[in-house]
Amino acid sequence: MQWGLLSVFSSLGSIVAFGINFHADKLQVPISVYIVFILLMASAFFVALFTIIAPSEVRRRDGTPLAHYPHDGLWQELKNQRRLLQDWRLLALGVPMLASEVPIIVSSSLNSLYFNIRTRSLNSLMFNVMQIVGAIWIGLMLDSWKIASRRTRGVVTVATVALVVIAGWVGLTVWLYRNPMDLLNPPLFDWTDGPFGGFFVLNLIFGMIMVIYQVTVQWIISTFTNDPEQLARLAGLVKGVLAGGVAAAFGTEAAGLPQLSVIAYNFSVQAIGLVLMAVVAWNCVTATNYDKEERVVPPTNERGLEKDD
């Protein structure tokens, strides 16, 4: 749901940019686009200010709290953070965390190198739209009760994501071989030009990979605990490692490596990450963590425990 909402509003921003750039004849982003984006981002502060409530006030439909929230001092919190770095499951998932958002770096770089401003805006819009599709699809897979075992559901989802990832990176490699580029004389294709069609389809695929890969990593990690405070620590860890992966991916672009070398690096990282996700999902995902954590309050009308393998 979080990724779906994020992608919806990203798409709204992309629609604004596309509308402004539709008849653009200059290779630059108008100031009006930046103004609209700043206003949209600033509005998030007021939404958060008036809608977020304290975790201790959150209640289920049956009236029970999610957990008890005793106060932990700074020293105890530092110890809790250290324990995260000693968990082999999280260390194994470090690679897929690093690889989660590399598709947006590759896709956006090629989009800016190969296409004119209005075609870039269209590609960016569709990239965000496909994240909405991907968020809905991956959510249905990971929460489907048609596969009773949560562990099996995780492994099947990882395998499905792997097929999409392989298709995307292999397809992009073929497209680049057919459309080599001189950095000193970029082609700046329009959507009326021949090479656009192939990239458009690949851009849709990478928009999906952007969300389904990352959500699958987060889902596996979220199965480790039901404690909201621990989940908050894990969320911070995921975002921190993910940012490091984005920086590394941008580094391959900044180093001036050939695009095929950049793709080889990013594909390798995502492929290794998929293998590690499958290993952790098979060995560590359990049906539930209720009654295993002192601070967590189990629901009184739980919809049946999922099946353990």
Side-chain angles (χ1 to χ4, degrees), residues 25-251:
D25 55 0
K26 294 182 180 179
L27 194 61
Q28 65 182 34
V29 179
I31 297 298
S32 54
V33 173
Y34 290 103
I35 293 174
V36 171
F37 283 0
I38 290 171
L39 292 175
L40 288 173
M41 294 176 70
S43 67
F45 169 78
F46 298 99
V47 173
L49 181 64
F50 294 108
T51 59
I52 292 180
I53 64 174
S56 58
E57 297 178 12
V58 177
R59 292 291 185 274
R60 300 187 181 94
R61 290 181 179 179
D62 60 10
T64 58
L66 300 181
H68 303 297
Y69 298 90
H71 174 70
D72 287 331
L74 175 61
W75 182 246
Q76 181 60 44
E77 183 58 33
L78 291 174
K79 289 182 178 179
N80 293 333
Q81 296 287 346
R82 183 193 64 189
R83 291 193 186 99
L84 296 182
L85 303 179
Q86 296 174 329
D87 188 332
W88 75 268
R89 302 171 299 178
L90 296 175
L91 294 177
L93 292 174
V95 175
M97 283 188 251
L98 282 169
S100 291
E101 287 195 0
V102 297
I104 195 172
I105 287 84
V106 175
S107 181
S108 59
S109 295
L110 294 176
N111 193 28
S112 65
L113 291 170
Y114 273 90
F115 300 99
N116 61 23
I117 191 70
R118 72 170 189 167
T119 308
R120 295 178 197 174
S121 298
L122 174 61
N123 284 331
S124 296
L125 169 60
M126 296 311 300
F127 188 91
N128 286 313
V129 169
M130 289 307 294
Q131 289 188 65
I132 301 174
V133 176
I136 294 172
W137 172 46
I138 204 69
L140 292 173
M141 283 197 67
L142 290 170
D143 292 335
S144 173
W145 285 80
K146 293 181 179 179
I147 304 177
S149 166
R150 188 160 69 159
R151 182 179 72 176
T152 303
R153 198 185 313 149
V155 173
V156 169
T157 301
V158 172
T160 305
V161 171
L163 293 176
V164 181
V165 168
I166 292 171
W169 289 112
V170 171
L172 186 58
T173 302
V174 173
W175 188 87
L176 282 173
Y177 267 116
R178 293 179 177 178
N179 299 279
M181 181 192 60
D182 180 6
L183 286 174
L184 299 178
N185 187 28
L188 300 181
F189 294 126
D190 188 70
W191 62 53
T192 59
D193 297 322
F196 168 74
F199 185 85
F200 182 76
V201 174
L202 291 167
N203 187 61
L204 299 179
I205 295 174
F206 276 99
M208 290 192 66
I209 293 174
M210 171 73 178
V211 60
I212 63 176
Y213 193 102
Q214 184 169 168
V215 169
T216 303
V217 179
Q218 294 175 356
W219 181 87
I220 294 172
I221 293 174
S222 71
T223 65
F224 297 163
T225 181
N226 287 108
D227 185 341
E229 291 189 346
Q230 182 70 352
L231 287 169
R233 297 183 191 103
L234 292 171
L237 176 68
V238 169
K239 285 299 181 182
V241 177
L242 182 153
V246 170
F250 271 121

Side-chain angles (χ1 to χ4, degrees), residues 251-273:
T252 62
E253 297 281 358
L257 297 176
Q259 284 301 316
L260 288 173
S261 298
V262 172
I263 288 176
Y265 163 76
N266 289 307
F267 183 24
S268 298
V269 174
Q270 284 210 318
I272 294 171

